[in-house]
Amino acid sequence: MRTPSAAQVRSRILELCLARRTRQALDALLEWNISADESPGDWEVLARACLRQGDAETAALACTILMKAEHLHGDLAITHANRLVKQGMAGAAIRLLTAQFGDRPTNNAAKQALVRAWIEENPRVALDLFDAADDEPDLALLRVDTLRALDRLDEASSLIERLANRFPEDLRVLTRQARIEERTRNWAKAIGHWTRIMQDHPGQSTLARMKVMQLQARFELFEDAASSAAGLMWPKTADESVDLLTRIEVLQTALQSRAVRDLIIAAAAPAERGRHTPETWAQIMTMLLDSGHIGLAAWLTTQGLVFNAAAIELMQQARPLLGLSDLDLRNPAKAARITSPHVLLPALSDMARTQDNKAAADGKILLVNATLAAGGAERQFVLLVKSLLGAGLDPDRLIVALFSSADELGHGHFRVALEDLGVTIVNLQSQNASAPDLPPDYRRLLALMPRRLRADLLPLLGLCLKERPSVIHGWQDRSSIAAGLAGIMAGTPRIILTARNMQPNRRLLADGESYRGIYRMLCKAASVQMAANSEAGVRDYQAWLDLPEGTLSVLHNAIDTKAFPLLRTEPAGRGERPVRIVGVFRLAANKRPELWMRTVARLRARGRIKVQPKIVGSGPFLSEIEALKGELGLHDLVVAGNLSSAGAIYGDADILLLMSRVEGTPNVVIEAQCCGLAVAACDVGGVKEALMPGNLILPVDADPETAATLIEDWISGLDWSQQEANVLAVRNKYDVTKLADETLKLYRIDHAQVLV
């Protein structure tokens, strides 16, 4: 076919664009071999016409061709860069913008686009792009987003409050206020913000309802969350349309992965797929890859739907690595069963077949935990470090890696205590998330992992490759999974995984099934040893993982006797003094604070024993507890918040009452006994193992009346002379030196060599 003249090309392109036939215009340029190198103006005309007519798909193709030819300029470059960021290709957006506008653009729109890209790639660079005078609303909001990405939430909150005073009705300000409250775990306030958005901004009602539902689920208000989900899936009025993405998000929040699969397969049917925009399909593809549904993502690429280039490239890499055949992908039900990380386990298992080496006596030890929040597991983590130093390990040998230590998120409660021990502390969020020295297969494996797991693993793996520890020790499930995988990929000689509670499915964790497959794979490696902090925990994990008896070890908790001295020895309730009952727990559904309060109220109502109640702790149920005080007549109940010292927590108490639904080995049970208190607790997890003679085990399903009756009879016959013996027994069982000895045995480090 004869190539038309430049004038004929331009005339034909304009004609097709005016007729809103932009895709035909693009096809014509390709058919006539009109390159963007030689005729960038024709491609630019096409791109602008597409944008005016809302044909984002063809506009993106035209801009991509112009970008490859290095002829994408001005506002078109900015528009395309913003699109690249939305498609998860922030690096490409940065390269495009800096080539056109430099590292510090003076063009306001280019600056905003570059900040958005750097927020995704490296928020510290994004923050450096701001000037002191950047108080224009759009830039100020981007500064808020940058501070949020860096977990500098106090600064973000302060700035968004100033913006709220200037622009009280601005939806962008309201949504950021809600998201900051979410991050700081002020979930009741976040629900309030989203509810206001739902009422005042009808166009955002679906998003707001979605966020309310997700927060209700975090609160463990499952009935309310189910009601909200039903309202989203089946709106009451015909005017409320529910898009495909919303339905998928609702089902994902409800952990309905099979329903998500069926919904996407139905939506991709030839008769249905055209009802959804290419942007919607690109978002679905990203959602599937982020959640590990790589088989279903690969199937979608075979259906003639257009997605972003990064997703297509990833799927092309996945096929040879995972052995995906066209036959596998023709059947969507079969493809949907190909999920990450499960499909990656054989490749990871091959890496795990390494020689089981004894850890070097002078090698570094990398200890990994999610945070240093105000929790029992975190306190035990600090105590572990202290015990190892007490056993003779040099502080220079110990490296503590944390996924977050941000004070604004409540993740730094024990940071000062850890810093005082003189060990190296690494915040993994500040590490470079890339691992350039990895072989290509390793990089592809990481790219195919679910987003949350990949985000944990990349910086930790980089740290392992840099420090080359002889031992890596993960603390709690999330940290153990990342530590185990990082240790396998880095060839670490000894890998220790310590579970601190009951298995994840008992705690309704979304990642429970993914963890199960990874744990089973890791436990087959000779370099790996898994442990739990109670016999009950060992049995629970072994049954969940289908592992033989004796696979897991017990690594008992410990008690710092100097921090928890003997405080109580005399009988409770002597004379007119009431029995002082304390509850020490997070104010969350799992700890059953309402059951605790109703039991204390029934105990008081029975009249035989005078009761003075107190709760130590904080959490999302604080407002409900304050409201319930009046209903139950517990006006004298003190809710003290988080306290640190043993004297402040236990000094004015006689009895600890714990009524949790799920526990591992509760630190508060050990601490209270060490301080001389009597303890009544429900029979869950390792509670029975932790209680010394004379204390009370309550049925886990006891109602308030039954529990109050059992507690009343127990207190009336309590032998307080037993308490001093119990103090000695609990201190002996949970001795710090025993923790160090047991841990060094797991590391296969000879204690005698440590002391040389």
Side-chain angles (χ1 to χ4, degrees), residues 428-558:
L428 292 170
Q429 283 191 334
S430 66
Q431 299 296 293
N432 186 347
S434 62
D437 295 332
L438 288 176
D441 279 357
Y442 278 53
R443 288 200 297 272
R444 282 193 285 269
L445 276 173
L446 288 166
L448 291 166
M449 287 183 179
R451 183 177 183 178
R452 284 194 296 185
L453 178 57
R454 185 170 67 247
D456 284 349
L457 183 53
L458 268 172
L460 183 57
L461 178 57
L463 183 63
C464 283
L465 293 172
K466 175 185 174 184
E467 299 291 345
R468 292 293 179 183
S470 62
V471 177
I472 185 169
H473 184 166
W475 197 258
Q476 304 184 85
D477 288 308
R478 175 187 172 190
S479 306
S480 289
I481 290 294
L485 292 174
I488 290 296
M489 298 180 82
T492 306
R494 284 298 286 166
I495 301 169
I496 309 301
L497 319 174
T498 46
R500 310 302 304 165
N501 209 315
M502 297 295 102
Q503 54 98 344
N505 281 355
R506 293 189 188 276
R507 289 172 278 140
L508 305 176
L509 294 185
D511 297 318
E513 280 310 302
S514 294
Y515 286 177
R516 185 173 184 269
I518 296 172
Y519 270 142
R520 283 173 55 82
M521 181 275 295
L522 290 172
C523 285
K524 293 176 182 177
S527 56
V528 173
Q529 177 62 57
M530 190 171 178
N533 65 354
S534 68
E535 294 288 353
V538 164
R539 291 192 297 271
D540 193 48
Y541 269 88
Q542 285 177 167
W544 177 56
L545 300 174
D546 294 324
L547 296 174
E549 183 177 344
T551 301
L552 271 69
S553 302
V554 178
L555 185 63
H556 286 109
N557 284 7

Side-chain angles (χ1 to χ4, degrees), residues 13 22-48 50 56-73 76-77 80-81 83-84 87 89 92 96 100 309:
I13 295 303
T22 48
R23 187 55 187 253
Q24 282 183 254
L26 182 140
D27 291 340
L29 287 172
L30 293 174
E31 184 179 352
W32 294 331
N33 293 318
I34 306 298
S35 74
D37 282 312
E38 297 176 358
S39 302
D42 295 323
W43 286 94
E44 185 172 334
V45 166
L46 172 62
R48 293 187 185 282
C50 292
E57 178 186 345
T58 307
L61 290 172
C63 286
T64 299
I65 290 168
L66 281 166
M67 183 174 66
K68 289 181 178 178
E70 298 184 359
H71 284 293
L72 186 61
H73 307 297
L76 273 181
H80 192 57
R83 181 185 175 90
L84 289 172
Q87 293 181 339
M89 294 186 284
L96 171 61
Q100 294 297 314

Side-chain angles (χ1 to χ4, degrees), residues 203-271:
Q204 295 295 312
S205 62
T206 298
L207 169 66
R209 289 186 186 190
M210 171 71 68
K211 299 303 294 186
V212 168
M213 179 200 69
Q214 291 170 340
L215 289 165
Q216 287 167 335
R218 286 190 184 184
F219 258 128
E220 298 186 33
L221 300 173
F222 296 119
E223 290 185 8
D224 292 342
S227 177
S228 296
L232 281 163
M233 294 293 285
W234 299 283
K236 295 179 181 178
T237 67
D239 295 334
E240 297 181 72
S241 61
V242 183
D243 61 28
L244 179 60
L245 283 172
T246 298
R247 291 178 181 272
I248 292 171
E249 286 189 63
V250 170
L251 293 170
Q252 283 187 325
T253 300
L255 305 182
Q256 298 294 321
S257 59
R258 186 183 180 106
V260 170
R261 179 201 74 181
D262 293 344
L263 180 60
I264 291 174
I265 291 172

